[in-house]
Amino acid sequence: MNYFKECDVVVIGGGLVGAAILRELSKYELHALLIEKEHDLAMGTTAANSAILHAGFDAPTGSYKARMNVRGNALFHELEEELNLDIRWLGSLVVATSEEEMASIKELQQRGIANGVQGLKILTAEQVHEKEPHLQNVKGALWAPSAGVIWPFTACVSFAECGVQNGAEVLRQTECLGFIKEDGAIVGVQTNQGVIKTKYVINAAGVYSDVIAHLAGDNSFSITPRKGEYILFDKEGSKQLVNGVVFPTPTKKSKGILICTTTHGNVFIGPNANDQEDKEDRAVTAEGMEEIIKSAQKLIPDLPLQRTLTEFAGLRAVSSTGDFVLGKSPIPGFYNAAGIQSPGLTSAPAIAEYIVTKLVQEAKFNKKKDFRAALPRRKPFLRMTNEEREALIKKNKLYGRVVCRCETVTEGEIVDAIHSPVGATTVDAIKRRCRAGMGRCQGSFCGPTVALILARELGIPVEKVFKGKGKSPLYYPKGAGK
């Protein structure tokens, strides 16, 4: 059989979990390859979530969710500097509005202590208002100082680029279609690009992880997509909302509609939680918007809805097991990192550590002596001092040209994003890496310039530049459609 690639391990799925697994694999003397069916990484669950690094008090004690959450939170504290991660350690509040809810958050505190979470504390209403003066109807809250918020897009890319820095590969627009087996064990992955010869496969395919597992012959679980809808406010409107992460008292189905800041100063409300069959439907609904607005108004009645920047929805992969599906499958050579819903983002580096440890124990791969854990230092132009900006512009005049006025993104940063080890090839990929197009005008000013820069740097006509997926051209040749 002809193979277009050969490697030791194939990781299926280019979200944060898959990227973290790729980096973890790159610590060993093996050739790892990640395949992603879309044009870029971070286009599934990683593209639309609450971006919270949870402390770890919510999940049942002893579950994968609880164990991976607490360990993952600790690892993010360690990896923040190495991978240039955009994190704000703000802590989180679970707010109670009744005596019944006060009893619930005390139960959460005890569960968190059992899970190994440090520093949990019950606050009075007065103490809550010291932290969040705009909240109303507050009886008290559970304070978790180890929680935070992260910018998930660049985190995903950073994990992947560290893997590439250490010899791993990333293939985009490469979809898994099936598997080649010999004596029941996987020896190859069939893709739309050809067959990849491999010894091991790690399934991190998000809402499609059950489909991938079934293709391999593993029918031990199924995935239900759970839609969560959000409203994001602009920075001006966000000033009158919250300073950090504010949860309501959770229900059995979800952590509830939260009010939360981002690493860039915007505040959002959401998500709701509605199960569906469609693995692609990310449309927001009027009913969903009404639901999250009414819920958020219980804590902040006067929401600045006139300052809404955008609305969006994401899908969480809910496993039929009720927990993460982690580890070796009954199919030889096949490992699952599936059912990764909240707190999946926080858990990602711990899941990677857990899965790769299990695989290495089986395969007997040795650790590298020359693994490079840290990426080159980088700092957004927006957050530089004037002296740092002047020094950078002297080295490269492209940093002196601001392309995105809303977020102060320069042409130099856009060019860097295109030519990085896992470079941007679409307008949305630029947006995910350096925020050009994520400001108040939502790309109406900078979008055409970003497209022209992509065309120039990639050496393609501008009509070949896509917004996101491969069916979204922004421009057509002159005379097209006549």
Side-chain angles (χ1 to χ4, degrees):
M1 180 178 292
N2 293 323
Y3 301 102
F4 92 101
K5 285 282 183 180
E6 296 188 22
C7 64
D8 296 299
V9 186
V10 171
V11 181
I12 301 175
L16 183 58
V17 171
I21 289 170
L22 188 73
R23 178 183 186 270
E24 194 69 22
L25 286 167
S26 73
K27 295 178 180 179
Y28 294 86
E29 293 177 351
L30 58 86
H31 181 201
L33 189 155
L34 182 149
I35 61 172
E36 166 55 49
K37 68 177 181 177
E38 303 292 355
H39 276 58
D40 196 20
L41 305 182
M43 290 184 67
T45 299
T46 305
N49 58 76
S50 303
I52 295 171
L53 296 177
H54 295 281
F57 53 75
D58 188 66
T61 302
S63 65
Y64 278 130
K65 288 182 180 180
R67 292 156 51 197
M68 299 298 125
N69 186 347
V70 174
R71 175 61 179 160
N73 183 288
L75 286 171
F76 270 115
H77 277 82
E78 296 175 13
L79 293 167
E80 181 178 5
E81 292 297 322
E82 283 185 352
L83 297 182
N84 299 309
L85 302 179
D86 188 0
I87 297 174
R88 295 173 66 192
W89 297 109
L90 302 170
S92 68
L93 292 167
V94 182
V95 176
T97 59
S98 67
E99 292 301 329
E100 183 181 4
E101 290 184 349
M102 283 297 294
S104 295
I105 66 171
K106 289 175 182 177
E107 291 176 6
L108 282 179
Q109 181 187 33
Q110 293 306 309
R111 187 187 305 162
I113 292 170
N115 289 351
V117 181
Q118 302 295 312
L120 294 174
K121 184 180 179 182
I122 300 292
L123 303 184
T124 65
E126 292 74 18
Q127 290 171 319
V128 173
H129 285 131
E130 288 177 7
K131 294 181 179 293
E132 298 291 354
H134 299 295
L135 298 183
Q136 297 187 29
N137 307 313
V138 175
K139 290 287 185 181
L142 175 63
W143 168 245
S146 62
V149 292
I150 188 172
W151 188 236
F153 311 115
T154 55
C156 179
V157 173
S158 292
F159 275 103
E161 290 189 346
C162 186
V164 172
Q165 174 178 275
N166 287 284
E169 283 188 82
V170 172
L171 297 181
R172 290 166 285 186
Q173 302 181 65
T174 305
E175 182 177 3
C176 173
L177 303 176
F179 298 94
I180 309 296
K181 293 183 179 179
E182 290 182 3
D183 299 324
I186 289 175
V187 296
V189 180
Q190 295 175 321
T191 78
N192 59 323
Q193 305 292 344
V195 178
I196 303 170
K197 183 178 182 180
T198 189
K199 301 171 186 175
Y200 299 95
V201 170
I202 300 176
N203 171 23
V207 294
Y208 285 95
S209 55
D210 57 343
V211 175
I212 298 299
H214 296 170
L215 287 173
D218 179 357
N219 298 302
S220 61
F221 66 93
S222 61
I223 296 294
T224 299
R226 178 171 293 167
K227 182 187 287 186
E229 297 167 86
Y230 297 83
I231 296 175
L232 181 72
F233 299 104
D234 68 16
K235 293 177 183 178
E236 190 63 33
S238 297
K239 291 177 182 178
Q240 65 194 71
L241 295 174
V242 297
N243 301 313
V245 182
V246 178
F247 296 99
T249 302
T251 66
K252 291 182 179 180
K253 191 175 183 181
S254 79
K255 294 180 175 69
I257 309 299
L258 59 133
I259 307 169
C260 182
T261 189
T262 69
T263 61
H264 297 90
N266 300 86
V267 169
F268 67 83
I269 58 174
N272 53 4
N274 293 302
D275 292 348
Q276 60 185 41
E277 293 183 7
D278 194 329
K279 293 179 184 287
E280 292 293 326
D281 178 10
R282 294 175 176 84
V284 297
T285 63
E287 296 79 11
M289 295 297 101
E290 183 178 2
E291 178 186 359
I292 64 176
I293 289 168
K294 283 186 175 180
S295 180
Q297 284 175 331
K298 293 176 183 178
L299 292 176
I300 299 182
D302 190 21
L303 292 172
L305 297 175
Q306 75 280 5
R307 306 295 305 197
T308 296
L309 186 60
T310 188
E311 302 159 351
F312 63 95
L315 301 178
R316 294 97 99 183
V318 181
S319 166
S320 55
T321 69
D323 200 356
F324 297 156
V325 180
L326 303 181
K328 190 175 180 180
S329 163
I331 308 304
F334 192 83
Y335 285 75
N336 285 307
I340 312 302
Q341 61 176 124
S342 181
L345 186 152
T346 317
S347 301
I351 291 170
E353 183 181 66
Y354 178 84
I355 292 287
V356 173
T357 297
K358 294 290 185 184
L359 187 150
V360 167
Q361 286 174 348
E362 176 187 352
K364 309 300 182 185
F365 292 118
N366 295 317
K367 270 208 166 184
K368 290 177 179 174
K369 296 179 180 179
D370 58 350
F371 174 74
R372 291 182 291 158
L375 290 173
R377 297 296 301 160
R378 61 171 180 256
K379 188 176 183 180
F381 190 83
L382 176 63
R383 297 180 181 176
M384 290 181 181
T385 65
N386 286 335
E387 291 75 17
E388 289 172 328
R389 290 173 178 177
E390 289 173 5
L392 190 60
I393 294 167
K394 283 183 180 179
K395 291 181 180 178
N396 185 341
K397 64 181 181 181
L398 293 182
Y399 292 100
R401 183 188 181 201
V402 174
V403 173
C404 174
R405 297 184 297 187
C406 298
E407 296 295 319
T408 317
V409 181
T410 67
E411 183 174 357
E413 291 171 288
I414 293 169
V415 171
D416 288 345
I418 295 169
H419 295 295
S420 66
V422 186
T425 60
T426 66
V427 171
D428 282 353
I430 293 293
K431 181 191 295 186
R432 283 187 287 270
R433 283 161 176 77
C434 49
R435 289 187 60 81
M438 282 199 171
R440 182 63 192 164
C441 81
Q442 289 287 281
S444 60
F445 175 78
C446 66
T449 305
V450 170
L452 288 172
I453 295 170
L454 278 161
R456 182 191 74 204
E457 297 298 319
L458 296 174
I460 58 176
V462 73
E463 58 264 27
K464 295 293 185 181
V465 174
F466 297 105
K467 180 183 184 297
K469 296 187 178 183
K471 297 179 181 179
S472 57
L474 292 165
Y475 305 99
Y476 290 92
K478 187 176 182 181
K482 289 186 177 180

